[in-house]
Structures are given as structure tokens and as C-alpha cells.
Amino acid sequence: MDDAGTATRVALLSFLVALGPLTTDMYLPALPTLGDALNAGVDQLQLTLSVFLAGFACSQLFYGPLSDRFGRRPVMIAGLLIFAAATLGCIHARTIEELIALRFLQAVGGCAGPVLGRAIVRDLYDREQAARMLSYMGMVMGLAPALAPVLGAYLLVTLGWRSIFQALALYGVLALIVITWVVAESNRQPDPEALRLGRMLRNYGQLCRDGRYLGYTLSVSFVFAGLFAFISGSSFAIIDYYGYAPAQFGYFFAIMVVGYMGGTLLSARLGGRFSLDRLLLGGATLCAVAGVAMVLLMWWRVPHVAGLVAPVVGYAMGVGIVMPQGMAGAIGPFPRMAGVASALLGFIQMGMAAILGVLVGQFHDGTPLTMSVAIAGAGGATLLSGWLATRRPRVLAVA
């Protein structure tokens, strides 16, 4: 990074964007415990994750146009207020149905951080600079999913599962303080027409007709869906199948996140030497190879947990390379509607992950094989989408 100001901006935006992975990952070690406490099955517990992603996905379609019209800061403040209120509700949930509903509301509020954080990056940087900025943010943000399961496991063992949501509520309050008093407004040219239905439909239609936008967006969506398949199934695989304690689960999860952070660091360092497209295809290839390796190892029923964790680390490294390139490639050409472009990308990304998470839960057979097949399929689809994105012409030139 070039200067202290950029480093500070990376840290602040990463703090806001990390709300998503924190809310997803911190309570993963508690899923088996939640099943006992709330008398819920694996499919219902998986639903608390998938519903969260569904809410995350749908809400972004509204946050994007709202932020293009009114600015990033006020919309993010409103979202964080909803998140804090819903998280307080999760603390007092008495049934799995209540928790599922509150997790949806958590997502409605919490998605403001990631979608508007990406829009702020596009407000401030051009396409290639945005890719490097998102890579650095991904590296810093990697600390969130690395530390979240460890902290969640500690809170679970010492204070119970409700303390995890208490910690998330505190984080939400701190995020409100940061966006209210520290982060400046980046949308210097609000679009007064952004909320008109006709304008919204035209903007979304324009994006959907752009072959390269869809290719980049699908590459980000598939690669994240594969990672989410691991996130949603990892606690059952490591705790139930391999027999490790919840307190140990966080350390295995952290190993995966180290792979992701390594990928983002590599992406940032190579960004000045290789094109965005070459990096995206390289990362996608790594994901596809790692996914196939995982399926083979699980099919052969390798008895050691390393047979699961090692290919996941390789996949996560590929994710760290693909995501910043794909995001910058998709959003970069649309400076006048960065909020809408970021929102549609997030909607497709989270919606696809939610669907894959539900499928992993529904077809869970007590082994990691179903999860591995989902990851391998996502890796292959990422490579295909990336190949299409880098070869299809952009059908619309956007100033």
C-alpha cells in the first residue's frame, strides 16, 4: 500500500465489511450445541445459515439504489441499526424458528456493510486499483473468519451460545460508531433518479445484458458458494465425523482462513505484474483442482482430518485470488451506478451460496462427501465462468 492514509482506509473498510463473515462464522462451533439446546435437526441448523444468506442477498438489491440516491453513509447507518436490534433478539431466542427469523433480520441489516464497502472502493479507485484495494481488504478481513470460530468456541465453552450473539451485538455498535464519526461520504454525485422503478429496472437490465459483468459476477458467486459449502458443513464434518471438540474446531477453520489470506496477499502482490483476467483464471484453476482432490480423498475415506483440511486450504487460496479480481472486473466499468452493480453481484453471490448450503444440508449423509462434491462443482463452475468473462466482449460501454 502506498501510504498511511490508504492503510487506514483499508482497515476501516475491512472493519465494516467483516461484519458479514463474523456473523456467519462466529457461531459455527455452536451449531451442534444449538441443536441440543433448541431441539433442532441438522437441516434446521443449516437453515439458520442459508436463511441468513438469503436475507443478505435480497436486501442488497435495495441497498445499492438507496446508496446511489442518498449516499453510502446514511444507508449503512440504517442497516447497522437493524443488525444491532436483530442480534439482540437472537440473544433471547427460545426456539429454532425464532432464531431462523431473527437471523434473516440480522442479514437484512448486516449486508449494508459489505455491499456499500465495495461501492465505496469503486467510488475512490479505478478498475485495477480497486482490485488491489479489495485484495488488501481481503487480506485484513481474513482475520475475521480466522479468529471468529476460535472466539466463538471460547465464548461457547465459557459463557454459553447466547454470549456469541452478545459479542456480535457489541461489534455492530462499534461499526455504527465507525461509520458515523470516522468514515467520510464517498458518493460525491448522488443520482436523484436512482430510486425510480423504471431507472432501477433499466440499470439492472443493463448489467444483466453485459456478458463480462455476468461472467465476473458468476465467477465470484460460484467460488464463494463453494467456500460457503465448507462453512456450512465444516462443524459437522470436523466435530461429528472426525470427533474433534468444539474448542478445537476453530483452529482447523483458522488454517483454512490462512490459505484465503495467502491468496489475497498473492493477489495484491501480483496485481501490478499480471492482468486481472490472468489472476482470476489462475485462482479459478486452483479452486477446481483442489475441489476434485477433496472429492477423491473423501471418496477413499481418508481417516485423517488432513485429507479434508489440506484441499480446503488450496481452495481457499484460490478464493482469495478470484474474489477481488472478479469484484473489480464486474463493478469497475460502472462508476455512475456502483451501488447497483455491487448490489446485484452480492445478490447473485449470496443467493447461490444459500442454495448450495441448503442442498448440502438436505443431502448430508453423515460424511464430508456431499460437502466435497458441492465444493468441487463450485470450483469447476468458477473456472468456466471466469473463462467466459475473459473472452466475451463487453456489450455496453459505460462511462
Side-chain angles (χ1 to χ4, degrees):
M1 287 175 283
D2 298 331
D3 52 42
T6 301
T8 301
R9 187 173 291 149
V10 166
L12 290 174
L13 291 176
S14 299
F15 181 81
L16 296 171
V17 175
L19 189 63
L22 273 177
T23 311
T24 302
D25 300 342
M26 189 178 288
Y27 89 130
L28 290 179
L31 283 177
T33 302
L34 276 170
D36 296 332
L38 301 179
N39 193 28
V42 172
D43 57 337
Q44 291 176 304
L45 295 170
Q46 295 274 15
L47 200 56
T48 64
L49 286 167
S50 296
V51 162
F52 180 87
L53 284 195
F56 221 86
C58 295
S59 301
Q60 293 186 62
L61 294 177
F62 300 97
Y63 279 117
L66 282 169
S67 72
D68 285 339
R69 171 62 184 88
F70 297 110
R72 317 302 183 201
R73 286 181 71 254
V75 176
M76 193 179 291
I77 289 171
L80 290 173
L81 287 171
I82 295 172
F83 172 84
T87 305
L88 290 174
C90 289
I91 297 170
H92 303 288
R94 300 299 175 186
T95 67
I96 189 64
E97 291 79 13
E98 288 181 14
L99 185 61
I100 290 171
L102 287 164
R103 286 282 290 172
F104 180 83
L105 289 177
Q106 250 193 334
V108 169
C111 79
V115 67
L116 299 184
R118 291 193 299 265
I120 289 172
V121 171
R122 181 57 191 91
D123 289 339
L124 301 174
Y125 300 95
D126 64 24
R127 181 177 183 264
E128 298 297 330
Q129 290 175 319
R132 295 192 68 193
M133 185 70 171
L134 289 167
S135 294
Y136 283 125
M137 286 174 59
M139 182 176 60
V140 176
M141 273 180 56
L143 294 173
L147 297 177
V150 177
L151 177 59
Y154 174 79
L155 291 172
L156 172 67
V157 172
T158 57
L159 299 173
W161 67 267
R162 297 182 192 277
S163 65
I164 296 173
F165 291 105
Q166 291 171 346
L168 288 172
L170 176 61
Y171 192 95
V173 172
L174 292 175
L176 266 172
I177 294 172
V178 169
I179 190 62
T180 303
W181 283 289
V182 181
V183 176
E185 177 59 59
S186 63
N187 185 2
R188 303 299 184 186
Q189 294 180 304
D191 183 359
E193 306 293 321
L195 290 179
R196 294 185 61 179
L197 181 59
R199 179 64 173 273
M200 290 172 61
L201 293 176
R202 282 195 300 272
N203 286 346
Y204 283 125
Q206 182 176 343
L207 294 170
C208 291
R209 293 193 303 273
D210 192 300
R212 296 199 73 184
Y213 175 85
L214 290 178
Y216 287 124
T217 295
L218 288 175
S219 67
V220 170
S221 302
F222 280 122
V223 82
F224 179 78
L227 186 65
F228 183 73
F230 174 75
I231 290 172
S232 64
S234 58
S235 59
F236 300 104
I238 293 172
I239 296 173
D240 292 343
Y241 183 76
Y242 285 106
Y244 287 90
Q248 297 172 300
F249 165 78
Y251 298 106
F252 288 110
F253 198 87
I255 293 172
M256 179 274 293
V257 176
V258 169
Y260 169 77
M261 293 178 66
T264 59
L265 177 60
L266 188 63
S267 174
R269 292 292 176 85
L270 296 179
R273 297 171 53 190
F274 298 98
S275 70
L276 181 153
D277 289 344
R278 288 187 66 185
L279 286 174
L280 186 145
L281 288 175
T285 301
L286 178 57
C287 289
V289 171
V292 171
M294 191 186 310
V295 170
L296 293 175
L297 290 169
M298 293 303 100
W299 181 265
W300 294 330
R301 295 187 182 274
V302 174
H304 197 277
V305 70
L308 173 68
V309 174
V312 165
V313 170
Y315 186 92
M317 182 173 291
V319 174
I321 298 171
V322 169
M323 287 192 66
Q325 314 308 319
M327 289 178 179
I331 301 172
F334 302 96
R336 288 287 294 161
M337 53 178 183
V340 170
S342 177
L344 183 60
L345 183 151
F347 170 76
I348 297 173
Q349 173 190 348
M350 294 299 177
M352 195 171 293
I355 291 170
L356 195 61
V358 170
L359 292 175
V360 170
Q362 290 295 322
F363 292 98
H364 178 68
D365 61 354
T367 76
L369 183 59
T370 300
M371 178 183 71
S372 302
V373 170
I375 292 172
T382 300
L383 182 56
L384 177 60
S385 300
W387 185 84
L388 292 173
T390 58
R391 281 156 179 77
R392 293 192 65 177
R394 188 171 296 282
V395 300
L396 295 171
V398 182

